[in-house]
Amino acid sequence: MRDTFVKTLISLAKEDEKIELVTGDLGFGVLKPYFEQLPNQFTNAGIAEQNMTSLAAGMALEGKTVFTYSIGNFPTLRCLEQIRNDCAYHNANVKIVCVGGGFVYGSLGMSHHATEDIAVMRALPDVAVFAPGDLCEAEEITKAIANYEGTCYLRLGRGGEKRIHKEIKNFQIGKAINVKNGKDVAIFSTGAIFEEVEIACQILEEKGITTTVYTFPTVKPLDVKAILECADSHDLIVTCEEHNVVGGFGGAVAEVMAENPSKARLMRIGMSDEYCVKVGNQKYLRNEYGMSGEKIANKILEKIK
Amino acid sequence: MKSENLAWLIRRHGIEMTHLSGGSHIGAILSVADIMAVLYSEVLNFDCNNPKSDTRDRFILSKGHAGASVYAALAENGFFPVEELKTHYQNGSRLSGHVSHHLPGVDFSTGSLGHGLSAATGMAYAAKKDKKAHKVYVVLGDGECDEGSVWEAALFANHNELGNLVAVVDHNKMQSMDFCDKTMALSNFAAKWSAFGWNVIDINGNDHNELKNAFNKKFENSKPTVIIANTIKGYGISFMENDILWHYRFPHEGWEYDNAVLALHKNKPADVVDPYTPNGIENPAEIPDGADIYNDHTTSATWHPTWNKEG
Ligand SMILES: Cc1ncc(C[n+]2csc(CCOP(=O)(O)OP(=O)(O)O)c2C)c(N)n1
Ligand SMILES: [Mg+2]
């Protein structure tokens, strides 16, 4: 996903010299093709994310489109007020890019788990929030945010290193993507957890349960219409995210459903408002915290039996 | 244990742990090994049977990515079995890549750079208020000193005359993608700390005598002290030294692992037993032609902006 982002950004930046990439001393190997081809549109701002973010705001207010780049929580939580006051409030063209949403850096420990970033970024007015579920979405979002006026947050995961969508026709900010239609349960996912949702769907289908699936590459603005349509036609809506259930994608869907009564019940799958204290790789942690394909399927079976 | 022996074991464990786990940051572990060894053999007051003892010295490894060095020092000092080191990074382990306080002997979790000096300052401030006699030690990276929070803590510690606070900067001149000077110059580094009011000791941080003298030095004032420990990233394994590749790369099976272990064995103190390969490596894999060794992997090697050139 990371490499798709970099590749896409290279082609965009070659066409638009206003695009700048500023890293917080991360991206060894990964950013090499970028800075070799676009040396004048690259900066390493060192290990200083607060400065990096306000610096990006300043550059943006002078006409540049600035992508800030780091991993985990460093480009977001570490410099939250800089994003709020300096980027969003000034409607600055800063695109915050996080590599490693969720448990990508599983074994590295709690500091490196980005499990509240969606909620926190979503709470800021004038920040559009994106979490691609596969390489196609990553590419489309990168193009879309480069052309979007204002502050954006792009959360890249790992996993989803395949193309799940065959193609995305007419990608639009704020539109969910329909993957398939069934009648028993509607599953909404955002980000790379999509690959676990696919596994869950297979398990459910083997048990005769048909699923409607949407991915939400945009968490904000949220596709309210897609949510309400599904809530009218399904008994159960399930949200999946590699993230805390509080305030994140599931929280966003819950807000919509609470204000628009329907026949559907909601189940949010994600971290249950806790920090991950276990050690292990991404797959292991997803399973430990109930987000593996199998655990997702079991939770759904439990709910509809 | 003698500090030289502990330093050797920290390096050997570091190689084994990153080798088994595919973990990063071996360069950072090797550069800080001597600092950690002197701290845990001669400086810190601790009790492995009572890790929370109120009179212990407090310690924070702020450059938390070198977690393996703390884990090794703690295991060798009886806080948990040395065997457990092999679980580093593994599913179900207690040893996350970055330092975790869910382990006996660890006072503070780190991993996001630029937090440790502030937390250590808080601990020292509380100790001073409560008239407690212990000291607080914290080890930072030099790249980490890019963070503004480091300097905010430096101001606070000076302002409150925290003579019970000792910071050590592992000054290996490198950070994550390049040398510090090619990223954000730290120019006049020692002078910066003095200007912030600190006692400054500038030493070779891979030399145990210099480290011991620095830790023993008493000042006739109540200022915090910083030891600028000039080190080499990757110290002790020549093909890793000063090569940023080894901030990320782990010693792979074959020539990388074999030659890393061999390099350590060349300088093994006679009374230390290697817990993994007691006899060294008998038939080491040869370095193949074209191996990516002694190459310049820094960003600035292939990043050539022209906007800042004249004309
Ligand atoms: C706030 C924050 N930003 C970025 C990182 C990623 N990172 C981990 S190690 C490192 C380089 C650290 O350099 P230095 O402090 O000099 O430590 P060394 O490895 O050289 O000992 C970076 C940028 C981080 N852990 N925390
Ligand atoms: Mg360094």
Side-chain angles (χ1 to χ4, degrees), chain A residues 90-103:
Chain A
H90 288 85
N91 212 31
N93 251 329
V94 176
K95 321 297 169 184
I96 299 144
V97 181
C98 148
V99 172
F103 292 137

Side-chain angles (χ1 to χ4, degrees), chain B residues 93-141:
Chain B
S93 170
R94 294 194 291 174
L95 311 184
S96 50
H98 293 80
V99 178
S100 161
H101 69 283
H102 292 282
L103 266 182
V106 176
D107 289 323
F108 199 68
S109 285
T110 52
S112 176
L113 294 165
H115 292 230
L117 184 61
S118 301
T121 298
M123 290 175 178
Y125 187 48
K128 190 172 175 188
K129 288 185 142 190
D130 294 345
K131 310 215 167 17
K132 291 182 180 171
H134 65 263
K135 287 195 164 192
V136 182
Y137 294 85
V138 53
V139 173
L140 325 181

